[in-house]
Amino acid sequence: MNTSESRDDLILSSFVVGPMHSNCTIVADPESRLGMVVDPGGDAERILREIEGLAVSVEAIILTHVHIDHVIALGEVQQRTAAPCYLHKGDRFLWDRLEAQFSRSGFSFIPGTVPPRWLSDSDRLPCCNGAVLHTPGHTPGSVCLWFEEHKLLISGDTLFHRGIGRTDIAGGSFKHLEKSIVESLFTLDEQTEVITGHGPNTSIGDEIRMNPFFGEVMR
Ligand SMILES: [Zn+2]
Ligand SMILES: [Zn+2]
């Protein structure tokens, strides 16, 4: 999904990057222009051009989880911005195996230049009044980024437009994913816009009503 929304309350740009067509999102405060890059999943030059075009100062790089399709451009973006990257401690085992993930997939590994900082549930994000929702399931350390006052959620690979993240890879758990979505995401304001990890945007209300994986649960 490529969206560059003109809204008064946020600078928001989301665009497709990398070999697995991941959505990379830039969110920033329109007054201070301090912002974050979420999931730099490839195409570093494209991301850096976008940062420059929006005139945003990148304070943080947030990984919704540590699969390489959300991480490929991290090293290059850090080389240019020197911003720290943040990830949930539940994905530490994936972070520690990052180089192996790269070599298995055939992508060249450009290591991060700043040591990671660890996130926990309910942590405040460095800008735009965002908060961390720990939503394990796709991976143990998957997080969604919730901007309550802006009615915006960045869901990573936890919730998709009419879909959910796969749970058949290292550390995945359908039981945890279901609980995360039903007990955490589906309790948010239905008007909340959702930028997903891959594919089109959706809203919490639309997924409560139309996500095929939850018909049974919600009835
Ligand atoms: Zn993933
Ligand atoms: Zn992904």
Side-chain angles (χ1 to χ4, degrees):
M1 186 75 175
N2 291 307
T3 30
S4 205
E5 290 186 26
S6 60
R7 37 196 285 176
D8 299 334
D9 60 334
L10 275 184
I11 296 168
L12 181 62
S13 176
S14 188
F15 44 95
V16 177
V17 295
M20 272 81 106
H21 309 287
S22 312
N23 292 324
C24 172
T25 305
I26 298 173
V27 197
D29 180 290
E31 273 170 36
S32 67
R33 303 204 87 80
L34 301 179
M36 302 176 286
V37 175
V38 183
D39 288 349
D43 297 328
E45 285 309 318
R46 163 90 167 90
I47 298 172
L48 292 165
R49 240 187 2 255
E50 193 73 21
I51 293 168
E52 206 171 301
L54 294 168
V56 161
S57 165
V58 177
E59 298 296 293
I61 301 165
I62 317 279
L63 307 179
T64 58
H65 64 294
V66 186
H67 282 154
I68 60 163
D69 58 317
H70 299 255
V71 184
I72 289 170
L74 171 66
E76 287 161 280
V77 173
Q78 276 193 326
Q79 281 172 359
R80 199 79 68 81
T81 62
C85 98
Y86 293 74
L87 56 134
H88 191 274
K89 53 195 173 186
D91 274 6
R92 190 172 195 140
F93 74 108
L94 293 169
W95 177 261
D96 292 339
R97 289 188 216 155
L98 202 53
E99 199 163 352
Q101 280 198 63
F102 271 85
S103 66
R104 249 199 326 274
S105 314
F107 298 107
S108 49
F109 179 61
I110 300 172
T113 56
V114 188
R117 300 188 185 173
W118 304 102
L119 295 173
S120 302
D121 189 46
S122 309
D123 279 356
R124 303 303 303 177
L125 292 167
C127 55
C128 305
N129 254 333
V132 172
L133 297 180
H134 180 213
T135 50
H138 177 62
T139 65
S142 283
V143 295
C144 294
L145 311 182
W146 182 41
F147 302 89
E148 183 174 14
E149 70 187 64
H150 305 293
K151 295 200 173 159
L152 174 71
L153 182 83
I154 299 177
S155 67
D157 286 359
T158 296
L159 181 67
F160 296 122
H161 176 265
R162 312 296 183 261
I164 57 172
R166 53 189 287 194
T167 51
D168 58 340
I169 26 190
S173 156
F174 179 75
K175 236 176 84 182
H176 291 165
L177 185 75
E178 185 178 49
K179 188 169 159 41
S180 293
I181 293 175
V182 174
E183 292 181 13
S184 178
L185 303 189
F186 282 0
T187 62
L188 303 178
D189 187 322
E190 290 198 15
Q191 306 288 318
T192 304
E193 179 185 9
V194 182
I195 296 177
T196 65
H198 305 267
N201 292 4
T202 184
S203 72
I204 291 296
D206 281 358
E207 294 313 311
I208 289 175
R209 281 183 292 276
M210 289 183 273
N211 191 299
F213 292 88
F214 292 96
E216 291 303 311
V217 179
M218 301 311 292
R219 259 200 288 273

